[in-house]
Amino acid sequence: MNINEIINNYYILGSLAGLVLFIFFIIIIESKNKKDKLKNDRLELEKLEKEKEATEQKALLEQKRIEEEARKARDEARRLALKEEKRIKGEKKKAEIEAMRKLELEKKRELEKLQQEELDIKKREELEIKLKKEVEKKALLEQKKIEEEAKRKQEEVKKKAELEQERIAKERKKEKEASEKRKQEELKKIEEKGKTFKEGLAKTKRSGFLGKLNNLFNEVKELNDDFLDDLEELLLTSDIGPKTADVLFEKIKEGMDKKSIKDSASVISFLKQETFDILNIKFEEKINKKPYIMLFIGVNGSGKTTTIGKLASQYIKEGKKVLLIAGDTFRAAAVEQLEVWAKRSGAGFHSGKDKQDPSSVIYDGIKKGLDENYDIIIGDTSGRLHTDKKLMEELKKIKRSAVKAHKDAPHDVFLVLDSTNGQNAIHQTKYFNEAMDITGIVLTKMDGTAKGGVIIGISNTYNIPVRYVGIGEGINDLKKMDVEEFVDALYSND
């Protein structure tokens, strides 16, 4: 091996060694970069953690600050309250201390003066006793002053309370007067001109028994078995009652068989005549009796009190002297309502004590009517359910009391029925009639219902005349029953 080969070998080895060192150096630098990156990532993560902790710490600190401020606010409120209380007590105490201090100062000066003048012990003791008494006297005066101040403040509070109660009482009185004024205004609004039977029966003609009958005639072309089936269903589901419905149906069926009823016009004509015959019940008019004594009975809400008030107004316009007796002693509102009607109409008024036995109130009222020469005496009674046997017995007792007060009393017993009750009014009539021997029916609210057919059912079932019909709110909307006018209005075409 020559020198050149050796040199070349060394050169190659040196190149390889340099390459190895370069690669090693590159690896070292890459490793260092990775370590630096990891370190930077770790530092960044630590920084984020520290920022998170700082944020959480800041939130906690903020929450603590808010809580601390709230606590300080509460403490400050308590402190201010205590401070105010302490200030008030302090001022009181300060006044007492100042008074004591002044007295003590005076005492000290006096004692120093005595010492300077070398007064004897006895004189000093006498002076001390005197000063002590003065201190006690002034203390008592101060205490009395404090007590008088407290008493003055207490009287001020009491006076304010009394003034407030007086104000409330005046407001209540004002409200009551306003309410009474409204009631009077409502009574004044009642129409003087009464409705006609045609006006009052409009709803019954349009939607009630007759309205349904007219609709039936519009649907059928001839009077046949199908018509009879529909007619029977219509009559039985109307408010004239099953007994009356059955009678009318059988008569119409008989008339169709005999060919006396041939078309819808003859059916209407037949029903009009039957209605007249059913309602045209004869009765003795007793208005000429003096005094003419009536009792009104019925369930709550039927319109008894209003009916009495309207009837009294009508009689007074005729020149009669009328007395109203408030026999419904269990409802103060009923007594008040009847009294309002008495004042409004100019009628006399008699009522008993709260919860007084109704029969004794009726007795006393009739006696008053006899003594004071009244032409007409009308007795109201408490509303009651017709199924309550105890209350129905009480009605019998009221009637016996009326007989004791006047041998012919009552001349008439009127049952007031709400027309809107339909067939239930027929059931009411049964029980009231058993208890009181009803001489007349008053049907109210006829203008507000389609169930006016109930008037036919009541008259046919119990043969009791309907004497009055209520067809509106006005005084003259309580109409004396005129059967012919009523029937004509009920079956008129307009």
Side-chain angles (χ1 to χ4, degrees):
M1 181 178 296
N2 58 31
I3 188 72
N4 290 326
E5 289 178 345
I6 293 170
I7 290 170
N8 286 332
N9 289 334
Y10 276 112
Y11 178 77
I12 293 169
L13 288 172
S15 297
L16 289 171
L19 181 60
V20 169
L21 285 173
F22 177 75
I23 293 171
F24 181 71
F25 178 73
I26 294 298
I27 291 171
I28 289 171
I29 291 172
E30 185 67 25
S31 176
K32 186 175 181 297
N33 288 337
K34 286 184 177 180
K35 286 180 180 180
D36 290 342
K37 185 179 180 184
L38 289 172
K39 184 179 179 181
N40 289 335
D41 290 345
R42 186 169 61 253
L43 289 173
E44 184 67 24
L45 183 60
E46 288 175 356
K47 182 181 178 182
L48 291 173
E49 289 291 335
K50 286 179 180 179
E51 288 178 355
K52 181 180 179 183
E53 289 177 1
T55 303
E56 291 176 349
Q57 186 66 23
K58 187 177 180 181
L60 288 172
L61 288 173
E62 180 65 17
Q63 183 178 357
K64 286 182 179 179
R65 184 186 67 76
I66 293 169
E67 291 176 351
E68 182 63 22
E69 287 179 358
R71 182 188 64 76
K72 284 180 179 179
R74 291 194 298 272
D75 292 344
E76 180 65 16
R78 285 196 294 269
R79 185 186 68 76
L80 289 173
L82 290 171
K83 183 180 178 181
E84 181 64 16
E85 183 179 357
K86 187 176 180 181
R87 184 187 67 76
I88 294 169
K89 290 182 178 178
E91 287 180 358
K92 182 178 177 183
K93 186 68 176 178
K94 186 178 178 181
E96 294 175 354
I97 292 171
E98 182 64 22
M100 293 296 293
R101 188 187 66 75
K102 288 180 180 179
L103 291 172
E104 287 293 336
L105 185 59
E106 290 178 4
K107 179 182 176 182
K108 185 177 179 180
R109 288 173 180 172
E110 190 67 28
L111 285 173
E112 287 175 352
K113 186 178 179 181
L114 287 173
Q115 286 173 356
Q116 289 174 1
E117 295 175 356
E118 295 180 354
L119 294 173
D120 57 22
I121 297 172
K122 184 177 180 181
K123 192 173 182 180
R124 285 199 304 272
E125 288 177 350
E126 288 176 353
L127 184 58
E128 287 175 359
I129 291 170
K130 182 181 178 181
L131 290 171
K132 185 179 180 181
K133 286 182 178 178
E134 288 179 355
V135 170
E136 290 175 350
K137 184 178 179 181
K138 289 184 178 180
L140 287 171
L141 288 172
E142 187 66 23
Q143 181 66 26
K144 186 176 180 182
K145 184 179 178 182
I146 292 169
E147 289 176 353
E148 286 177 351
E149 181 66 17
K151 185 177 180 181
R152 183 184 65 78
K153 289 183 178 179
Q154 187 176 4
E155 286 176 351
E156 285 180 358
V157 172
K158 184 178 178 181
K159 188 175 181 180
K160 285 181 180 179
E162 288 174 351
L163 288 172
E164 182 64 16
Q165 287 178 353
E166 186 178 348
R167 183 187 66 79
I168 293 170
K170 286 180 179 179
E171 287 183 356
R172 287 178 178 171
K173 184 180 178 182
K174 190 175 179 182
E175 289 175 0
K176 186 176 180 181
E177 288 174 352
S179 176
E180 186 66 26
K181 187 177 179 180
R182 284 195 299 272
K183 287 181 181 178
Q184 293 296 334
E185 288 174 353
E186 287 173 3
L187 286 173
K188 287 179 182 179
K189 288 179 182 178
I190 295 176
E191 299 176 349
E192 290 298 327
K193 183 180 178 181
K195 294 180 181 178
T196 64
F197 277 126
K198 283 185 179 181
E199 293 170 332
L201 295 172
K203 189 171 285 189
T204 294
K205 290 169 61 178
R206 183 174 62 252
S207 306
F209 161 61
L210 288 173
K212 293 176 182 178
L213 187 62
N214 287 327
N215 290 337
L216 176 61
F217 287 142
N218 291 332
E219 293 173 2
V220 298
K221 295 181 179 180
E222 58 179 339
L223 304 187
N224 52 27
D225 291 342
D226 290 337
F227 165 76
L228 284 175
D229 290 339
D230 292 338
L231 178 65
E232 184 177 24
E233 181 181 352
L234 185 152
L235 291 171
L236 289 173
T237 56
S238 67
D239 293 291
I240 63 176
K243 179 181 177 181
T244 306
D246 187 59
V247 169
L248 292 178
F249 176 75
E250 291 299 327
K251 286 186 177 182
I252 292 173
K253 184 179 178 182
E254 182 181 350
M256 287 174 61
D257 291 339
K258 293 180 178 179
K259 306 300 182 182
S260 59
I261 296 177
K262 301 177 181 179
D263 51 27
S264 60
S266 57
V267 173
I268 294 295
S269 177
F270 165 78
L271 287 174
K272 182 177 180 180
Q273 184 59 48
E274 282 295 313
T275 301
F276 178 86
D277 293 341
I278 290 171
L279 296 179
N280 193 30
I281 300 170
K282 303 301 180 184
F283 62 89
E284 181 185 355
E285 183 63 76
K286 301 175 183 178
I287 187 63
N288 293 325
K289 303 284 184 181
K290 186 168 181 180
Y292 174 37
I293 303 170
M294 294 173 277
L295 286 180
F296 279 77
I297 61 177
V299 301
N300 277 331
S302 60
K304 287 196 316 304
T305 307
T306 302
T307 297
I308 291 170
K310 290 179 180 181
L311 195 59
S313 297
Q314 293 178 9
Y315 280 134
I316 287 172
K317 285 181 180 179
E318 294 173 6
K320 305 290 185 182
K321 185 179 179 183
V322 181
L323 175 66
L324 305 184
I325 306 174
D328 188 352
T329 59
F330 296 103
R331 286 196 313 125
V335 177
E336 291 173 2
Q337 185 184 1
L338 193 65
E339 187 174 12
V340 168
W341 271 108
K343 290 178 181 178
R344 171 67 176 162
S345 63
F349 181 72
H350 175 78
S351 64
K353 297 178 182 179
D354 187 32
K355 306 299 183 185
Q356 183 179 342
D357 181 14
S359 59
S360 67
V361 176
I362 295 295
Y363 177 87
D364 294 340
I366 293 174
K367 283 296 185 184
K368 177 180 178 178
L370 292 169
D371 294 341
E372 298 180 14
N373 200 31
Y374 277 90
D375 298 314
I376 293 173
I377 301 171
I378 305 176
D380 189 14
T381 60
S382 59
R384 61 203 68 229
L385 290 173
H386 53 284
T387 54
D388 192 324
K389 292 183 178 179
K390 183 179 178 181
L391 292 176
M392 298 305 281
E393 287 298 320
E394 187 179 271
L395 273 182
K396 295 177 182 179
K397 183 180 177 182
I398 289 173
K399 186 176 181 181
R400 291 195 297 271
S401 295
V403 173
K404 289 180 182 179
H406 188 287
K407 63 183 180 66
D408 295 327
H411 295 108
D412 274 314
V413 177
F414 289 103
L415 173 62
V416 182
L417 296 171
D418 183 345
S419 300
T420 62
N421 287 332
Q423 290 194 40
N424 189 42
I426 299 175
H427 299 309
Q428 291 177 27
T429 305
K430 176 180 183 296
Y431 292 101
F432 278 106
N433 191 44
E434 289 173 355
M436 291 292 283
D437 294 327
I438 300 164
T439 59
I441 298 290
V442 180
L443 275 172
T444 64
K445 310 175 188 179
M446 186 73 84
D447 58 314
T449 181
K451 301 177 181 180
V454 67
I455 192 172
I456 304 170
I458 292 171
S459 296
N460 182 66
T461 304
Y462 301 107
N463 199 38
I464 299 173
V466 175
R467 305 277 290 275
Y468 293 92
V469 180
I471 54 174
E473 295 181 0
I475 290 172
N476 291 326
D477 288 333
L478 179 66
K479 308 286 285 185
K480 196 169 185 178
M481 185 58 166
D482 183 317
V483 177
E484 185 174 357
E485 183 184 350
F486 182 89
V487 173
D488 285 344
L490 186 64
Y491 287 93
S492 65
N493 293 325
D494 53 353

